[in-house]
Amino acid sequence: MNKIIPGYLAIALVWFSSHFGGGFASGRQIVAFYLNHHWTSMFMPAVSMLIMGICMYYSMVIAVKFKAYDYSAWSKKLYGEIGFFAVPMYEILVNGVLLLATAVAFATGGTVLSKLFGTSYMMNTFFIAAVIFVFTIYGSELVRRSAVVVSFLLIVSMFIIYLPNIIHYFPKILQNIAAIKSGEIAISGPNSSWDALWWGIKYGTLHCCAIGAYIVHAQVCPDKACLKKAITIGIIINSLIMYLSYFGILAFADQGIFKEAVPALFVVMHGIGSSWMTSLISVCIVVGAVSTGVALVYGTTNRLVTFLGRRLDEAGKASKQRVHSMIASTILVAACWMVAQFGLIPLIGKGYGSMGWVTMVLITIPIILRGLGLWRFKDDSFEGEVYVEKVN
C-alpha cells in the first residue's frame, strides 16, 4: 500500500471514509448535532474533529508501541490497573456503538434506495449488509485500498454537490443564520452557545468510540511523525467536508429541511443541478454508508478472529483466519442489520445523543490523560522506553 500511497494518507482516508457514512453522509448527523442548536454550532465541527484527532493520535501511539492492533489488547494497555472492570465496560460500549453506527449506515442506504427506486427498505438494507460482509472477510489491506478509492470519489463529489449550492445561495445562508438567531427559524435544542458546544463535544467523543476499529491500520504508520501527519490531514479533510455539508443544508433551513430523514437528498432535489445531482448524492450516500460499515465491522471482526483463535498455535490461526473472519463478519453484520430496522431518525436522534457523554467518560478522557502522561501504570514501558510521553 505504501508503494502506491503513503501510510499517513491511507490512515487519514480510512478515517474519512469511515466517518463519511450513515448519518453523516445523509446530513442527518449535521442537523442533529449542529444545525438544530444555537447558531454558534457553526464553529463546532472543527472542535469535534480536533477532539477526535487528538484521541486518534494517542490511541494509535498505544497500538504501535505495544503492537496491540485489536481493540481488546489495546484497551488493556489503555486502562492498565483498572482494566479488570474498565475493559469489559469498554467492550460493551464499543460493540453497542458498532451496532448503532453500522445500523445507521444500513438505514441510510436503505432509506435512500427506497426513495430512488421504491424498493423495500428491508431488502435494501439486506443488500448493503451483503456488500459489507464481502469486504470485511478479505483483510485490512483491502479495507485500506477501498477506503482510499472511496475517499477520493466522495471528496470530489461533495465539492461538486455542495459548493455550487453554497455559492449560489450564500445570501440566503446569511439570512437563515440571522433567522435562527432571531428565533424565526425554530431549532429543537436550547438557544444557548453552551448547548452548541456540548453537542459539538458529544459528536467528537461519540466518534472516539470507533477508534477501536481504526487502530488495526496503525501498522502502516509505525512512528509518531507519520501518525501526526495522518491525524493532521484527517482533521482537515473531515472538517472541510463537514462544513460543506453544514452550509449546504443551512441554505434550505427555511424550507423545513431539519425534519427531513435525508437532508442531503433534499439539498440536491431543491438546489442547483437537481436533475443529475440527485443520482450523484444518492451514490455518495450509499457508498459512504457501505464504507463506514466495512471499516467498523472489520475492526471488530479482527477482535473476534483473535478470540476464536485464542487456543490455536500460529499455524492454526493462519489456516483458520478466513473461516473465523467469515463467522465473525456474519454475526456482526446480521446483528447490525436487525438494529437497522428501527429506522434512521430514531437511531441518530436517540441512540447517538445518549452515547456521547458515556464515550467521553469511558474513552475520551482516559485516552487524553494517558497521552499527556498524566495517568501512568507500572507496566508503561516497552523495550526500555516509557510508553506514553508528552508530544513535543
Side-chain angles (χ1 to χ4, degrees):
M1 185 71 179
N2 287 336
K3 295 180 180 179
I4 302 173
I5 187 170
Y8 63 84
L9 186 56
I11 289 177
L13 294 178
V14 166
W15 176 10
F16 170 73
S17 67
S18 305
H19 180 207
F20 188 100
F24 176 57
S26 69
R28 192 64 237 168
Q29 282 185 13
I30 295 294
V31 172
F33 283 84
Y34 304 103
L35 286 167
N36 252 334
H37 301 276
H38 192 262
W39 66 270
T40 52
S41 65
M42 72 174 66
F43 304 110
M44 297 308 139
V47 172
S48 300
M49 290 302 99
L50 182 61
I51 291 170
M52 189 176 177
I54 291 170
C55 290
M56 282 269 286
Y57 171 73
Y58 287 136
S59 299
M60 288 189 169
V61 169
I62 293 176
V64 171
K65 282 286 187 178
F66 288 105
K67 301 189 186 309
Y69 297 115
D70 74 76
Y71 70 77
S72 179
W74 174 84
S75 63
K76 291 173 183 175
K77 297 301 181 183
L78 173 64
Y79 296 113
E81 296 169 355
I82 67 168
F84 67 94
F85 75 89
V87 170
M89 291 175 63
Y90 170 80
E91 294 223 21
I92 292 171
L93 178 61
V94 164
N95 285 286
V97 171
L98 165 79
L99 281 172
L100 182 60
T102 310
V104 166
F106 288 5
T108 302
T111 301
V112 170
L113 292 174
S114 294
K115 284 180 176 290
L116 285 177
F117 304 112
T119 49
S120 163
Y121 172 83
M122 183 177 291
M123 183 185 74
N124 295 340
T125 54
F126 183 82
F127 167 75
I128 292 170
V131 174
I132 289 173
F133 170 79
V134 171
F135 272 90
T136 55
I137 64 174
Y138 285 101
S140 60
E141 181 66 17
L142 178 60
V143 173
R144 282 192 292 273
R145 286 176 182 269
S146 63
V148 169
V149 174
V150 166
S151 294
F152 279 120
L153 292 176
L154 291 176
I155 290 169
V156 171
S157 298
M158 292 296 283
F159 272 94
I160 292 173
I161 291 164
Y162 281 115
L163 194 57
N165 280 289
I166 292 172
I167 294 172
H168 181 77
Y169 292 109
F170 187 71
K172 192 177 176 185
I173 291 173
L174 296 179
Q175 291 173 9
N176 286 342
I177 292 173
I180 291 173
K181 285 184 180 181
S182 67
E184 184 180 341
I185 294 178
I187 57 175
S188 63
N191 190 25
S192 163
S193 58
W194 288 108
D195 175 70
L197 177 61
W198 171 237
W199 278 86
I201 292 172
K202 281 206 294 185
Y203 187 90
T205 58
L206 170 67
H207 283 76
C208 286
C209 199
I211 283 172
Y214 299 148
I215 55 176
V216 63
H217 303 291
Q219 297 173 79
V220 301
C221 217
D223 60 77
K224 287 186 175 181
C226 181
L227 288 174
K228 287 178 183 177
K229 288 182 182 178
I231 300 308
T232 300
I233 294 172
I235 290 173
I236 292 171
I237 292 174
N238 281 283
S239 298
L240 180 60
I241 302 303
M242 288 180 76
Y243 276 114
L244 285 175
S245 179
Y246 182 98
F247 288 111
I249 294 171
L250 182 58
F252 301 89
D254 58 334
Q255 298 182 35
I257 193 172
F258 293 171
K259 296 180 180 180
E260 290 289 321
V262 187
L265 201 56
F266 185 95
V267 170
V268 296
M269 292 178 71
H270 296 80
I272 296 175
S274 59
S275 59
W276 60 273
M277 281 192 184
T278 301
S279 298
L280 180 59
I281 191 64
S282 300
V283 170
C284 286
I285 291 171
V286 174
V287 170
V290 170
S291 69
T292 292
V294 168
L296 295 181
V297 171
Y298 177 75
T300 308
T301 294
N302 192 49
R303 161 70 179 104
L304 290 180
V305 167
T306 301
F307 175 78
L308 293 172
R310 66 193 184 283
R311 296 178 180 174
L312 301 175
D313 57 21
E314 290 303 316
K317 290 178 181 178
S319 65
K320 295 288 186 180
Q321 199 271 344
R322 179 60 55 81
V323 174
H324 288 168
S325 291
M326 293 180 69
I327 294 171
S329 294
T330 299
I331 294 170
L332 292 169
V333 170
C336 294
W337 178 82
M338 287 187 285
V339 175
Q341 305 314 306
F342 285 104
L344 182 58
I345 292 179
L347 285 173
I348 293 177
K350 301 296 183 183
Y352 275 178
S354 61
M355 281 191 170
W357 67 269
V358 178
T359 307
M360 182 190 307
V361 173
L362 190 59
I363 300 178
T364 307
I365 292 175
I367 288 174
I368 292 175
L369 291 177
R370 293 283 274 146
L372 293 175
L374 300 176
W375 186 21
R376 296 176 181 271
F377 303 114
K378 293 179 181 178
D379 64 345
D380 275 353
S381 60
F382 182 75
E383 295 181 353
E385 296 183 59
V386 173
Y387 164 56
V388 267
E389 58 186 25
K390 193 169 183 178
V391 178
N392 294 324

